[in-house]
Amino acid sequence: MIRQYELTDTIRAYNPASDEQLINRAYVYAMRAHGSQTRINGDPYFSHPLEVAGILTELKLDDATIVTALLHDTVEDTDTTHQDIHQLFGEEIGQLVDGVTKLDKLELSSPDAAQAENFRKLFMAMSQDIRVLLVKLADRLHNMRTLHFIPKPEKRARIAQETIDLYAPLAGRIGMQNVRDELEDIAFRELNREMHDTITARIDRLTVGGEALVLPILTELRGLLGQHDLAGKVYGRTKKPFSIYAKMQRQGIGLEQLSDVFACRIITETVSDCYRILGLVHTRWAMVPGRFKDFISTPKRNGYRSLHTTIVGPAKQRVEIQIRTQDMHEIAERGLAAHWSYKDGVRGVEQSEDLTLWVEELAQMIEAGDTAEDFLEHTRLEMFHDQVFCFTPRGDVIGLPAGATPLDFAYAVHTEIGEHAVGAKVNGVRQPLNHRLANADEVEIILSEAQSPQRSWESMVVTGKAKAAIRRFFREENHQQMVRFGQELLESGFRDAGFSMTGKTLSKIAEMTGLEADDVLHEVGTGRLALQKILTMLYPDIDTQFKIGKSEPLRVDRTGLVPGVGLHLSRCCFPVPGDRIVGVRDAAGQVNVHIIDCAKLVELAPMADQWLDLRWPSKDITTHHLVRLEVDLVNQVGAMASLTKLLAHIGINIDDLVFLHRDQSVYKIRMDIEVRDLRQLEHVKNAISTLDEVTRVRRVRGDEQTRDREGRYYGI
Ligand code: MN
C-alpha cells in the first residue's frame, strides 16, 4: 500500500504548489471512512482508492483530482454524505465526487455497438468535468488489475465486456493510449483466454526469432543517427495482443499470416530531425507502400502527432517505425493529461486559445460517430449539454435533444409505441407525456391500444422524428376520413337522384376524371369535386335547372324595372323568398338582388339612387334558391351519412359541400342547399338541429366573413 508521505512526495515532484495538507486530510478521511472494510482479496478497502490516486499521479494530475480519487467510494460505500464532502473539502471537490458517484450508478446492459456509443456519450455528458472521467477510468483500471480476485466467472465476463465496450474506447478518445491498451488487454484475456494466449505465444515465437532480425535494424538505426549527428533514443517493442486480434478481425486474416507485430520507436528533439530521420530510414530500407502516415503535418484530432512508416527488413519481415519528438511522445502517452502544466507551480492552461477549438472539433467528431482515439478538452465537457440520454426498462440508451419528453422517447423507440402512449413512468414515478426528461432517467412508456395521436402532441415534442410521425398520422387519417366521406356522399347523392353507386360507376368516374378511384372519393369528400358535376358528367340528360350562378327567373310585385332587364340573386348573401331584399343596378344595367342587411350594400351606398325596392312574389313559388349553411358535426363514423340521409328524406338537394375544418372532436362543413323560401329554410335548419351528431347549424351570409383552416375566406 502506498504510504501517505510517498503519495505527497510523488505529487510534489511534478507539482511544487501542491496543497500537501489537503492531500493528507483526504488520505486520513478516506482511510477512516472505509475503516475495517476489506476487498475480496482481503486487502483493506482503502488500498483501492489509494491505488486509483496513485494511477492519477502517474498522469501528473492536479490536487482536486487526486483528492477525488481518494474520496471516490466514500459516499457510495460508507456513512459519508455528499454534504460531508462539500463541507470538508469545498465545492470543487464536492462536485467532482458527486460526478463519480453518479457514474457509478450507470450500468451498461446491452453490448450492442450503437448502444455502447450512446452510452459513451451519456458518460461524457454526465461527467461534465473531464476530471470525473479521469478518476472513473483510473478506478476501472485498478478494478481490472484486480479482476482475477472476483470468484464468479459471469461477473468477471460482464465487467470485462463493459470495459471493452465503454471504458477502453473512452480512454482512447481522450488520447490515453497506455490506459486503453492495458484495459483492453486484461479484458481480452478474460473474455477470450484461448485467443489471447495463442496470440501471445505467436508473438513470443516471432519475438524470439524476430528479435534476432529486429536487433540489427535497431543497431543500424542507432548507427545512422550517430553518423548524421542526430540525437535520438531508439527502441523496439511488440504490439499488444488485443490490437493484433482487432486487426485480424478487421482484415479477416489468420494468425499464421501475422508477421506485422514489431514496431520500433525513435524519440528525437525537433520536428525537422523527425523528417531527416525519416529520410535516412527510407534511403536505407524499402518502405511498404500505403503505410506511410504523417501525423505531424496532419495531427489526429486527439492531438496525436508522429511519423509512421513500415519497412521491409533484411529477412523480409515488416517493421513499423514511429518517429516523434519528446513533446509528441508525452501527448501520445498521457493524452489530454499532458496538457496540464504546472508552470510557476500553478496548474495553468496551455494554448488556451486552441482549447475552444479543440472542444468544438471534439463535439463535431463525436457527433459524426468517429470512433478513432480522440481528444477532449480538459476541464469542461459542455458539448453534450444540449442532449439527454435516457434508458429503456431493458437498459438501452436513447439519445435525445435537451427538452425532450417521454413522448419523444416513445417515438424514438418506435412509432407504434409513440402512437399508443398514454403516459410514462420516469424512474418509477408516473409522469405526464410532456414531462421534461433528464440525463440517465429510466423511462417506461404506458401504452393503450385505444390511444391514438392527438393534435396537442405536436407541441409536446421536440424531436423531428416525433413531429414528422404525428403529422404523417393526421395527414393519413385525414385522407382516409375524406375518402370515407366521399363514399358516403356519392352513395346518398346517387340514391337521391335515382341511381345507384356501384364499383363500376366509380371506375367510370375515375376514367372520366383521370383520377384514381380513391382520389375521386377523396376529392368528393373534400368538396373539390361536386356531386352535381359528377351526375351531370355521367348523366347529361339529368335535370340541372338549379345550377349555381345562373340568373333565376324572378317575378316582382312592384318595380321600376324596364321589362326585359335581368335580375341576379347575389352570391354574397344568397337571398331566398322571405328575406327582405333590395335590387342594385350595375353599370351593365343588370339588377343584382341583395338581402337588405348584406354587408356588400355598404360599399354600394354611394349609388343609392340606383337601388330598387323589390318584393318577392306572394304566391305560386315553385322556383328553388340556393342558400348556404354552416353545420358543426361531432366527429364520428356515420355522422355525415345521417345528415345526408335526413336531407334526402325531406327532399332537399345538396348542391355543394365543403369541409372547412376538422379536429379530433368536431368537423365543420359548408353546404349549399336548394330551398323554396325562408320558411322552408327554417324547417330544414330545425330538422338538421334535431340530429344527435349536429352541434350547431346556421345560415351563412355575405357579411359573415370567416377564414377556413388554410386562411381562405369563406361565407361570401
Ligand atoms: Mn472505486
Side-chain angles (χ1 to χ4, degrees):
M1 208 157 87
I2 306 169
R3 277 180 261 179
Q4 198 170 336
Y5 72 87
E6 289 173 330
L7 184 67
T8 50
D9 282 356
T10 313
I11 299 167
R12 204 171 337 98
Y14 67 79
N15 179 13
S18 166
D19 182 349
E20 209 168 304
Q21 219 197 335
L22 172 72
I23 307 280
N24 286 334
R25 259 199 308 133
Y27 187 102
V28 173
Y29 185 87
M31 188 166 62
R32 286 209 184 123
H34 288 293
S36 58
Q37 290 174 351
T38 54
R39 304 198 89 212
I40 291 168
N41 63 355
D43 281 353
Y45 191 90
F46 178 60
S47 65
H48 165 68
L50 193 53
E51 288 296 334
V52 175
I55 291 169
L56 293 168
T57 61
E58 287 166 31
L59 295 166
K60 302 185 180 156
L61 287 165
D62 66 337
D63 289 348
T65 314
I66 306 293
V67 169
T68 302
L70 291 170
L71 301 174
H72 83 270
D73 276 334
T74 54
V75 175
E76 195 67 359
D77 298 341
T78 76
D79 295 336
T80 304
T81 64
H82 285 304
Q83 285 79 354
D84 295 339
I85 302 287
H86 278 267
Q87 261 166 31
L88 291 166
F89 296 96
E91 202 197 345
E92 184 187 14
I93 291 167
Q95 278 181 0
L96 291 171
V97 174
D98 282 359
V100 180
T101 311
K102 270 190 210 138
L103 290 189
D104 283 340
K105 295 198 172 117
L106 300 175
E107 226 174 282
L108 176 62
S109 64
S110 161
D112 172 63
Q115 284 300 314
E117 176 54 27
N118 263 337
F119 203 86
R120 288 193 287 269
K121 287 183 191 170
L122 169 64
F123 237 71
M124 290 199 255
M126 288 192 64
S127 299
Q128 291 191 23
D129 191 310
I130 189 74
R131 292 173 293 179
V132 169
L133 195 56
L134 294 174
V135 172
K136 194 61 204 155
L137 287 171
D139 177 41
R140 177 52 61 119
L141 182 57
H142 184 245
N143 285 336
M144 287 304 281
R145 283 176 181 170
T146 52
L147 183 69
H148 56 280
F149 291 120
I150 293 176
K152 276 195 187 151
E154 316 85 65
K155 192 175 178 194
R156 288 202 305 270
R158 185 182 61 73
I159 294 171
Q161 188 63 53
E162 192 182 59
T163 300
I164 292 267
D165 290 338
L166 176 60
Y167 294 96
L170 279 176
R173 193 165 277 183
I174 56 177
M176 308 175 86
Q177 198 49 47
N178 288 349
V179 173
R180 179 187 191 149
D181 284 347
E182 191 176 348
L183 287 174
E184 279 176 346
D185 226 52
I186 303 170
F188 180 41
R189 194 174 62 212
E190 181 60 43
L191 290 170
N192 197 339
R193 187 64 183 253
E194 207 178 328
M195 184 56 82
H196 181 272
D197 290 354
T198 311
I199 293 175
T200 310
R202 171 81 176 162
I203 293 171
D204 286 347
R205 265 202 314 285
L206 282 170
T207 315
V208 173
E211 287 273 286
L213 298 171
V214 176
L215 268 176
I217 297 177
L218 296 181
T219 316
E220 209 173 331
L221 270 173
R222 288 184 188 117
L224 275 174
L225 294 189
Q227 278 168 38
H228 293 83
D229 235 1
L230 289 162
K233 280 175 279 182
V234 178
Y235 48 94
R237 61 188 192 97
T238 52
K239 292 185 179 169
K240 294 281 183 296
F242 183 77
S243 73
I244 290 170
Y245 174 70
K247 190 176 174 184
M248 283 162 57
Q249 299 288 98
R250 253 196 332 269
Q251 302 185 347
I253 56 169
L255 197 55
E256 55 293 337
Q257 288 159 272
L258 190 70
S259 60
D260 197 7
V261 301
F262 296 106
C264 157
R265 192 172 285 154
I266 304 166
I267 311 285
T268 181
E269 277 169 5
T270 66
V271 172
S272 66
D273 285 355
C274 292
Y275 287 103
R276 286 174 68 197
I277 294 169
L278 178 75
L280 294 176
V281 168
H282 281 174
T283 313
R284 175 63 190 82
W285 293 282
M287 66 181 276
V288 179
R291 293 293 302 271
F292 170 64
K293 293 197 181 85
D294 182 353
F295 295 119
I296 291 180
S297 65
T298 315
K300 286 192 189 183
R301 284 176 128 164
N302 61 7
Y304 178 87
R305 299 168 80 203
S306 188
L307 296 175
H308 289 192
T309 189
T310 300
I311 57 148
V312 182
K316 302 279 173 242
Q317 82 279 29
R318 290 170 162 214
V319 179
E320 185 186 74
I321 296 178
Q322 300 177 346
I323 308 163
R324 56 175 77 146
T325 66
Q326 184 59 42
D327 283 355
M328 294 174 194
H329 186 59
E330 276 272 298
I331 290 171
E333 298 284 296
R334 289 168 57 213
L336 67 95
H339 294 280
W340 254 275
S341 73
Y342 295 90
K343 271 182 204 141
D344 308 320
V346 179
R347 181 170 74 80
V349 175
E350 284 178 9
Q351 307 152 309
S352 61
E353 281 181 16
D354 289 352
L355 278 178
T356 335
L357 212 73
W358 286 340
V359 176
E360 278 167 17
E361 276 204 0
L362 184 75
Q364 283 166 15
M365 174 272 298
I366 291 164
E367 272 313 300
D370 200 334
T371 52
E373 310 94 330
D374 285 290
F375 174 75
L376 285 186
E377 186 260 358
H378 70 259
T379 50
R380 309 299 297 175
L381 289 174
E382 309 245 303
M383 65 286 251
F384 292 117
H385 288 189
D386 57 350
Q387 293 184 56
V388 288
F389 298 89
C390 301
F391 291 93
T392 67
R394 271 180 41 215
D396 289 348
V397 189
I398 306 286
L400 297 164
T405 62
L407 199 52
D408 284 300
F409 182 92
Y411 272 103
V413 173
H414 200 283
T415 305
E416 280 275 300
I417 306 275
E419 289 182 345
H420 293 105
V422 287
K425 275 188 185 171
V426 177
N427 303 321
V429 179
R430 186 74 195 248
Q431 297 287 2
L433 286 173
N434 62 356
H435 175 79
R436 195 186 160 109
L437 295 173
N439 262 321
D441 277 349
E442 186 186 295
V443 184
E444 183 188 344
I445 300 296
I446 301 162
L447 299 171
S448 163
E449 267 308 305
Q451 177 70 305
S452 66
Q454 308 292 310
R455 288 275 176 199
S456 58
W457 283 10
E458 246 190 271
S459 60
M460 285 165 50
V461 296
V462 298
T463 52
K465 184 181 177 186
K467 271 199 193 324
I470 293 165
R471 286 194 192 126
R472 203 182 318 116
F473 175 87
F474 284 113
R475 252 200 323 276
E476 179 62 18
E477 194 207 40
N478 189 49
H479 184 86
Q480 289 307 325
Q481 221 159 346
M482 287 304 174
V483 167
R484 279 202 304 278
F485 289 149
Q487 178 90 28
E488 285 175 16
L489 277 174
L490 275 186
E491 280 172 4
S492 64
F494 270 59
R495 204 166 44 240
D496 292 349
F499 303 101
S500 64
M501 234 280 291
T502 62
K504 251 181 161 173
T505 324
L506 185 58
S507 3
K508 186 72 188 166
I509 302 169
E511 191 191 309
M512 293 175 80
T513 53
L515 297 168
E516 296 290 319
D518 224 39
D519 293 337
V520 169
L521 297 175
H522 184 257
E523 293 295 282
V524 173
T526 53
R528 282 197 283 267
L529 184 55
L531 175 64
Q532 195 67 43
K533 198 174 159 192
I534 293 174
L535 286 170
T536 316
M537 190 172 66
L538 280 175
Y539 314 105
D541 296 335
I542 195 175
D543 181 8
T544 54
Q545 60 172 316
F546 305 126
K547 274 203 288 186
I548 300 177
K550 201 172 168 186
S551 288
E552 304 288 334
L554 183 71
R555 291 177 296 153
V556 289
D557 282 348
R558 191 183 54 180
T559 72
L561 292 181
V562 180
V565 169
L567 278 173
H568 180 258
L569 296 181
S570 306
R571 300 274 341 263
C572 54
C573 51
F574 295 99
V576 295
D579 284 327
R580 289 191 55 210
I581 48 173
V582 67
V584 180
R585 200 196 308 269
D586 65 17
Q590 177 173 267
V591 174
N592 295 301
V593 180
H594 295 271
I595 299 177
I596 194 78
D597 57 355
C598 174
K600 189 89 177 177
L601 291 174
V602 178
E603 284 171 43
L604 301 171
M607 317 188 322
D609 55 329
Q610 296 293 305
W611 288 22
L612 304 165
D613 185 17
L614 301 181
R615 297 273 161 77
W616 298 95
S618 54
K619 54 183 178 182
D620 193 24
I621 298 166
T622 50
T623 315
H624 286 76
H625 302 277
L626 278 177
V627 67
R628 182 163 283 185
L629 295 180
E630 228 178 65
V631 184
D632 293 355
L633 291 146
V634 175
N635 191 354
Q636 67 187 41
V637 178
M640 199 61 220
S642 301
L643 178 63
T644 51
K645 248 182 233 159
L646 170 81
L647 293 174
H649 186 67
I650 60 178
I652 295 297
N653 196 26
I654 303 173
D655 199 276
D656 198 8
L657 190 147
V658 178
F659 286 82
L660 300 172
H661 168 82
R662 260 170 17 82
D663 61 34
Q664 283 298 107
S665 54
V666 71
Y667 57 91
K668 190 189 278 293
I669 58 167
R670 189 185 70 198
M671 284 195 304
D672 292 343
I673 60 167
E674 294 165 1
V675 292
R676 281 191 309 278
D677 56 15
L678 203 55
R679 253 170 62 114
Q680 194 187 15
L681 174 62
E682 284 310 311
H683 289 158
V684 174
K685 277 169 67 183
N686 284 339
I688 291 175
S689 62
T690 61
L691 289 173
D692 280 347
E693 295 91 339
V694 171
T695 55
R696 192 166 85 129
V697 54
R698 64 188 192 111
R699 183 181 180 188
V700 183
R701 297 262 288 271
D703 50 353
E704 293 168 89
Q705 292 192 356
T706 319
R707 283 171 197 268
D708 67 10
R709 297 204 82 198
E710 277 75 41
R712 289 185 302 246
Y713 283 107
Y714 65 91
I716 51 167

